Amino acid sequence: MTKTARTRALVLFSGGQDSTVCLAWALARYDEVETVGFDYGQAHAVELDCRQTLLSRLSTVFPEWEAKLGPDHMLSLAELGRISDTALTRDVEIEMGENGLPTTFVPGRNLLFFTYAAALGYRRGAAALIGGMCETDYSGYPDCRSDTIRALEQAITLGMDKPFRLETPLMRIDKAATWKLAEELGGKALVDLIIEDSHSCYRGDRSKRHDWGYGCGACPACELRAKGYAAYVSGEA
């Protein structure tokens, strides 16, 4: 992308590994970067605490990014949690459902995230909306697929009568390559920050420290993160 004067982006920032890499990606490309998080009653709400730690640490460790990092916004989507019957919003076992999707799938989540982000971006002057969706190395969520994001981009642009770009820098890479991208963007310092301060575990467990970070080590999010990290450190990324 050719950078123009005073470009502004809004990053969907959950406090997880993927959204942290996306935030670094945006900070390397845009003049001004704001962040937005969503409280939808997720069981792993500890990620919301990690968001603030990560934003503070990023500003300290990367002073060149601090000048670009704008306001952080937190939006409540409590009704999404109330109407969802999933392993991320209820005390439900993490398993494959009868519909072929894991019970961690929250219907409509990413559709709402981007729609709310666009409404916020409309006011804030941010035409680029950046999310960590990926269809290469993920759990099969239909709202993480490229076709879904492209269709949503068109719908948002038409519905708001203003051009928006939905950017997903991780869409075509696996988790090992995501670790590698973090290294390329911010060196060992960014990799270490992601290990120590980001959160992926669906169980919200931060009592166990692994080489790749904190988590229960058994849920799909932990297994994916651990597998990717092992491939990354072995040079397979």
Side-chain angles (χ1 to χ4, degrees), residues 21 177-188 190-191 194:
V21 174
T178 300
W179 284 106
K180 181 63 176 176
L181 179 58
E183 180 186 342
E184 292 169 356
L185 290 166
K188 184 177 183 296
L190 182 57
V191 173
I194 290 171

Side-chain angles (χ1 to χ4, degrees), residues 98-178:
E98 294 181 359
N99 60 357
L101 294 173
T103 54
T104 51
F105 173 59
V106 182
R109 181 177 59 169
N110 287 335
L111 307 181
L112 288 172
F113 283 3
F114 266 127
T115 301
Y116 271 71
L120 176 62
Y122 190 98
R123 175 171 64 87
R124 299 295 302 171
L129 310 177
I130 301 170
M133 297 75 188
C134 169
E135 68 175 22
T136 302
D137 195 0
Y138 75 134
S139 299
Y141 302 159
D143 59 356
C144 284
R145 297 170 186 159
S146 180
D147 287 348
T148 300
I149 303 302
R150 297 283 69 80
L152 185 59
E153 177 182 73
Q154 183 179 21
I156 287 174
T157 293
L158 290 172
M160 298 203 179
D161 197 22
K162 183 176 181 178
F164 279 92
R165 298 188 310 279
L166 274 54
E167 302 185 355
T168 52
L170 310 184
M171 181 59 73
R172 305 298 185 187
I173 66 177
D174 62 16
K175 195 66 73 178
T178 300

Side-chain angles (χ1 to χ4, degrees), residues 41 43 84-94 103 203:
S84 301
D85 186 18
T86 79
L88 296 192
T89 56
R90 296 278 193 278
D91 185 14
V92 175
E93 192 67 28
I94 297 176
T103 54
R203 300 298 189 191

Side-chain angles (χ1 to χ4, degrees), residues 46-59:
V46 65
E47 68 178 5
L48 301 181
D49 297 326
C50 292
R51 294 178 74 258
Q52 297 306 315
T53 301
L54 283 163
L55 289 172
S56 176
R57 289 286 312 281
L58 276 169
S59 295

